Amino acid sequence: MSLSTSAPPAASAPTSPTARSTWRAGRMIVVLGLVVVLFAAAAVLFGPQRGPSRFLDPADTSLAGSKALAELLRARGVQVDRVDSVEAAAGKAADGGRLLLVTDLTYLDEHRLAQIPGDRLIVGDLPGLDVLAPEARTLREPSRVRSRDPECGLPAATRAGSAYVGGLVLTGPPGTAACYPAGEGHSLVSYRTPDGATTTVVGDGAFMTNLRLPEDGNAALALNLVGTGRPVTWLVRPDNPPPLDLPGSEGKSMYDLMPPSIPWALLMACLTVVLVAFWRGRRLGPVVTEKLPVIVRAAETVEGRGRLYRARKARQRAADSLRAGTIDRLTPRLGLAQGAGPHELVAALAARIADDPQVVGAALYGPPPADDAGLVALAGYLDSIERQVSEL
């Protein structure tokens, strides 16, 4: 007597995804997302608060600032005094023997500034240039900022060599030292004013920034123009502009009222949208090809189009369609190129089927049929032509 044992039936397992399987599959993505969010939040909360860059500011260490040039001047023993008002610039000029470096005239009165005596170095396209340097003229179209050779006799420029200048195209009064040609003028002019002071105007100040200072002869040109051994009064935009001159009821613009964390929040929102789009896009799966609900045969299409032509009495369009099809099929069979003209096609076809060229030409290029019977006759003749050519 033999005993047989049978294995118990295997337990059934669900095939649809469960909460546990979904968590196991996506927990790594969730962890990485939390890590990214924590790092971003830490950078926003504990990172240094940096203000906006200030172009050609001797206290700004950004790429647009001029802290590097100011430090080089101080290392050479030149006193650099940063001021942000006309009153402070006038107070420094009371000692005499100073160079006034003007890099920004926003919120400043150029007429009061023009009354300060002494040498001036004006950098860039400033709104009060015609008041501070009335003898200098600017042409309408500015030049591209690039490396240029001085091509002049001004010692400050010739010792520096090529520099990254451009911007305003300037001309000066007679006796002006004009350097760095640009179009019909120059990017740097230096001349003596009637009161004996020297005014120098540079069309663009990119060569003085922290970004461009190490390139070309930019540092040498900046040091030669500014570091003449005299104290320098460096005029910049006011740190605290007058409230009445700013937009807004309290003197602040919309961007000033925004918290510093707004850009980081927008960045995180964009990253979230991208991740959600990628996640949902993968769930869509591959493109599915579906069968057409109805298959229309070619013969039915031709018959339907013929009925439309007949209903609209479009005998000319129908004849043109028949002729165009016949010409396209006969041209390669006759050994002609696709661009063959009517005379070549008619002559070759008449010689092949031994028919009158005038009859063949009228069938292929003649006027449209006058009635339906003529259209039927034309179709029959074209069909017979194709049949004869294919049989030969």
Side-chain angles (χ1 to χ4, degrees):
M1 183 176 178
S2 62
L3 297 176
S4 61
T5 59
S6 59
S12 60
T15 59
S16 59
T18 62
R20 171 177 283 184
S21 62
T22 303
W23 164 247
R24 288 179 177 177
R27 59 186 176 184
M28 185 58 65
I29 298 177
V30 174
V31 172
L32 291 177
L34 291 176
V35 170
V36 172
V37 172
L38 290 177
F39 271 103
V44 173
L45 295 177
F46 303 106
Q49 298 292 332
R50 294 185 178 181
S53 62
R54 300 169 63 91
F55 185 64
L56 297 182
D57 193 319
D60 190 358
T61 58
S62 66
L63 297 180
S66 295
K67 182 65 176 294
L69 176 59
E71 293 301 323
L72 287 177
L73 290 171
R74 294 187 178 103
R76 294 164 63 100
V78 178
Q79 179 182 350
V80 179
D81 296 320
R82 178 183 179 274
V83 297
D84 61 353
S85 65
V86 178
E87 292 77 9
K92 294 292 183 181
D95 300 337
R98 280 182 166 264
L99 172 67
L100 177 61
L101 174 57
V102 184
T103 58
D104 200 323
L105 284 176
T106 307
Y107 311 112
L108 301 177
D109 188 356
E110 61 271 17
H111 295 280
R112 294 173 56 194
L113 188 64
Q115 298 175 1
I116 299 177
D119 296 345
R120 301 171 188 166
L121 173 59
I122 307 170
V123 181
D125 185 8
L126 303 182
L129 181 61
D130 56 340
V131 178
L132 295 177
E135 297 85 358
R137 295 290 182 268
T138 59
L139 302 184
R140 181 176 301 178
E141 295 295 333
S143 62
R144 183 170 63 91
V145 180
R146 62 177 179 83
S147 180
R148 302 176 187 270
D149 294 325
E151 300 183 15
C152 67
L154 185 66
T158 55
R159 289 197 298 265
S162 61
Y164 192 81
V165 292
L168 291 179
V169 180
L170 305 162
T171 60
T176 298
C179 304
Y180 303 102
E184 298 180 359
H186 296 78
S187 298
L188 185 150
V189 294
S190 181
Y191 58 90
R192 301 281 291 183
T193 59
D195 57 357
T198 300
T199 297
T200 304
V201 184
V202 186
D204 185 83
F207 73 100
M208 298 172 60
T209 61
N210 298 327
L211 175 64
R212 298 290 182 182
L213 194 66
E215 301 176 359
D216 226 344
N218 298 340
L221 178 62
L223 291 174
N224 293 339
L225 292 176
V226 184
T228 57
R230 297 171 296 171
V232 178
T233 303
W234 197 316
L235 183 62
V236 298
R237 181 181 302 189
D239 296 330
N240 298 310
L244 296 179
D245 294 339
L246 289 175
S249 58
E250 297 182 0
K252 294 184 178 180
S253 64
M254 179 183 66
Y255 300 101
D256 296 332
L257 297 175
M258 285 185 179
S261 59
I262 289 295
W264 285 101
L266 293 177
L267 177 60
M268 296 307 300
C270 293
L271 291 177
T272 304
V273 171
V274 171
L275 291 176
V276 171
F278 179 75
W279 168 53
R280 298 299 299 178
R282 289 177 60 88
R283 291 173 60 89
L284 295 177
V287 179
V288 178
T289 304
E290 298 182 359
K291 295 182 179 181
L292 295 176
V294 178
I295 298 177
V296 181
R297 301 184 182 277
E300 296 179 4
T301 305
V302 173
E303 185 177 355
R305 181 172 293 182
R307 289 176 180 176
L308 291 175
Y309 284 157
R310 183 176 183 181
R312 295 299 178 183
K313 297 181 180 181
R315 286 184 289 271
Q316 180 177 356
R317 179 168 294 183
D320 293 340
S321 179
L322 292 172
R323 288 168 171 169
T326 301
I327 292 172
D328 291 341
R329 290 186 291 271
L330 289 178
T331 299
R333 293 181 181 178
L334 296 175
L336 300 176
Q338 289 294 333
H343 298 288
E344 299 178 14
L345 181 61
V346 170
L349 182 58
R352 179 69 68 89
I353 65 176
D355 201 349
D356 187 3
Q358 294 184 356
V359 177
V360 176
L364 295 178
Y365 301 102
D371 49 17
D372 293 343
L375 181 61
V376 173
L378 175 62
Y381 182 73
L382 295 177
D383 184 62
S384 66
I385 290 176
E386 291 192 52
R387 213 169 36 248
Q388 296 179 46
V389 172
S390 60
E391 293 175 356
L392 292 177

